[in-house]
Amino acid sequence: MAKIVNSWNDWDPLKRVIVGRCDNSMIPPEEPATSEKVPVDSEMRGMWGLRPLATVERGNECLENLVKAVEDRGVVVDRPTPLQWNQAIGTPDFRNDSMMTCMPPRDILLTIGNEIMASANSFRCRYFEYLAYWPLMKQYFDEDPEFKWTQAPRPRLTDASYKHNYYDEKITLEERLVRTANKDFVTTEVEPMWDAADVMRMGKDLFIQHGLTTNRTAMEWFQRYYPELRVHAMNFPGDPYPIHIDATFVPLRPGLIINNPHRHPAEGQLAIFEANDWEVVDAAQPAHDEPPALCYSSVWLSMNCLVLDPKTVIVEASEVHQQEQMDKLGMNVVPVDLRDAYPFGGGLHCSTADVYREGGCEDYFP
Ligand code: ARG
């Protein structure tokens, strides 16, 4: 029996990875947590249903580009099993008219060492998304005797989990920024809620973005679950929609992070990096002024790269400025055409989940 699951950070040499699939993807109906995610002026407001088939096929083509690029470099690729996401769902606590997709895996699965944990997402439409990964989890469980197959405590997601007056009025961008600065988010603290993509793993340290999808109770939960690790909350007051840390604060190798120039960490939160001589540089400008059609994310998916090892990084093929910056930072750049997968929830890092990277649990902040 082999060791299949092991990963402690986002830069050690990648050997095995999960890449999502766009099949049957939905634009989910509005619900307390997601209306927050859709900007008021977005073409997607009030719209829901199956995504157009041509866009699904094109998104899948892009994911195949990524699969090929990593396989060419000797990485083993696993794929989820999509469900019929247009089914209505219900639990004793809530009902929703549909699910969403199994993109991107990074939001659902968190790999820490030999453990992969399904997250405690705050969106009702994502409540059953983990099922798409269960066949893989069973396979890892059968083949790797050390693999820990875990599900984080499932949030109830009753109405008490959300602030219901949070977005009722048409609030302006400035007001949103004030709320972010005040750490006032749509989720309440009645239970731990977190998306795996809010957790940045750096060996002994977990840096977790506190924002629209992950609350403070989750940080407390993480600290008790992993007493041997150190949990740090991060806030980015410049982000009016703080969801997922991987288009904001992205490590390339030990000692080097690229940071979204509009989203610097809140006061005091850089201290630990500075004290340990880490370099935090502003990321290059995105090549595009707008995200592609029907996309939830911002143009900053430009920096949502997939590090293959401390010297090699995959960057989206059209993001020429980001590629140039990576090159100057001493990274070999592998361009992959993935932009038409952005509408399904994210870029190169989002579209994947780590299964195996070489290396162990290091202390980068002694
Ligand atoms: N909130 C980010 C932005 O729009 C997008 C992050 C997407 N990441 C992910 N893991 N789904 O800039």
Side-chain angles (χ1 to χ4, degrees):
M1 295 231 270
K3 190 150 177 57
I4 292 189
V5 178
N6 180 67
S7 175
W8 288 100
N9 56 52
D10 270 325
W11 57 75
D12 271 336
L14 183 69
K15 297 292 164 194
R16 187 162 181 154
V17 74
I18 298 172
V19 173
R21 284 191 195 275
C22 301
D23 306 64
N24 313 330
S25 285
M26 303 284 298
I27 294 176
E30 260 189 28
E31 53 166 292
T34 61
S35 354
E36 193 40 45
K37 188 170 180 177
V38 185
V40 261
D41 55 352
S42 164
E43 56 189 345
M44 290 165 78
R45 269 263 145 155
M47 169 197 251
W48 75 278
L50 276 169
R51 284 181 178 264
L53 187 58
T55 66
V56 170
E57 288 172 350
R58 177 67 193 125
N60 274 336
E61 254 173 53
C62 287
L63 294 172
E64 292 304 328
N65 295 338
L66 174 59
V67 169
K68 180 156 190 324
V70 296
E71 281 181 348
D72 283 351
R73 282 158 188 82
V75 178
V76 176
V77 177
D78 292 324
R79 310 298 298 274
T81 308
L83 274 70
Q84 237 14 89
W85 302 117
N86 59 351
Q87 298 175 75
I89 54 166
T91 74
D93 291 311
F94 70 83
R95 252 140 237 280
N96 214 45
D97 284 333
S98 92
M99 295 175 274
M100 190 162 95
T101 178
C102 49
M103 268 289 287
R106 190 67 65 175
D107 304 355
I108 307 293
L109 300 178
L110 181 68
T111 311
I112 295 187
N114 60 354
E115 177 169 20
I116 301 183
M117 191 187 304
S119 54
N121 307 81
S122 62
F123 292 9
R124 290 172 174 170
C125 62
R126 305 197 78 172
Y127 194 81
F128 289 112
E129 210 167 305
Y130 72 98
L131 292 173
Y133 303 100
W134 250 220
L136 289 175
M137 298 282 267
K138 174 65 164 61
Q139 184 193 335
Y140 304 157
F141 188 76
D142 288 342
E143 294 174 10
D144 177 349
E146 281 165 29
F147 171 52
K148 282 165 80 179
W149 176 1
T150 312
Q151 168 66 64
R154 312 247 46 212
R156 296 186 69 165
L157 307 183
T158 70
D159 287 348
S161 295
Y162 313 99
K163 293 179 197 162
H164 288 269
N165 53 356
Y166 191 82
Y167 50 83
D168 276 354
E169 351 90 75
K170 285 212 155 155
I171 62 165
T172 62
L173 197 66
E174 287 67 40
E175 289 165 307
R176 271 175 198 283
L177 288 168
V178 171
R179 287 184 184 188
T180 309
N182 292 338
K183 304 178 184 171
D184 171 16
F185 301 114
V186 65
T187 39
T188 63
E189 298 292 342
V190 298
E191 57 186 348
M193 289 184 271
W194 54 276
D195 277 15
D198 281 316
V199 183
M200 187 176 66
R201 306 159 305 138
M202 293 192 164
K204 259 189 106 50
D205 294 84
L206 299 177
F207 295 87
I208 308 183
Q209 169 166 252
H210 172 216
L212 296 170
T213 39
T214 295
N215 63 10
R216 299 293 297 216
T217 310
M219 319 254 170
E220 174 62 24
W221 180 83
F222 267 104
Q223 191 58 80
R224 289 192 209 177
Y225 188 80
Y226 292 114
E228 67 285 12
L229 305 183
R230 293 175 293 236
V231 173
H232 313 265
M234 294 209 76
N235 294 87
F236 300 94
D239 187 354
Y241 303 96
I243 293 181
H244 306 151
I245 198 165
D246 55 0
T248 297
F249 204 65
V250 175
L252 299 182
R253 58 179 183 244
L256 180 62
I257 291 179
I258 54 171
N259 186 189
N260 187 313
H262 299 294
R263 306 176 188 167
H264 290 138
E267 203 164 324
Q269 294 182 353
L270 264 189
I272 180 170
F273 297 96
E274 288 163 352
N276 288 276
D277 291 325
W278 280 58
E279 207 186 334
V280 178
V281 300
D282 275 353
Q285 282 299 309
H288 304 268
D289 298 331
E290 301 250 309
L294 301 179
C295 181
Y296 292 116
S297 306
S298 73
V299 290
W300 291 97
L301 289 181
S302 55
M303 56 186 287
N304 188 256
C305 58
L306 181 66
V307 177
L308 295 181
D309 64 56
K311 288 195 163 85
T312 317
V313 62
I314 306 188
V315 179
E316 208 286 319
S318 65
E319 295 296 345
V320 287
H321 309 308
Q322 191 54 71
Q323 289 174 27
E324 195 185 303
Q325 180 186 36
M326 295 289 192
D327 186 62
K328 288 198 181 122
L329 291 169
M331 303 291 286
N332 296 316
V333 177
V334 179
V336 168
D337 170 17
L338 192 98
R339 186 168 155 82
D340 291 328
Y342 286 7
F344 297 88
L348 289 149
H349 185 260
C350 314
S351 301
T352 58
D354 282 24
V355 180
Y356 196 97
R357 285 183 192 264
E358 286 173 1
C361 179
E362 304 289 331
D363 187 351
Y364 300 98
F365 304 96

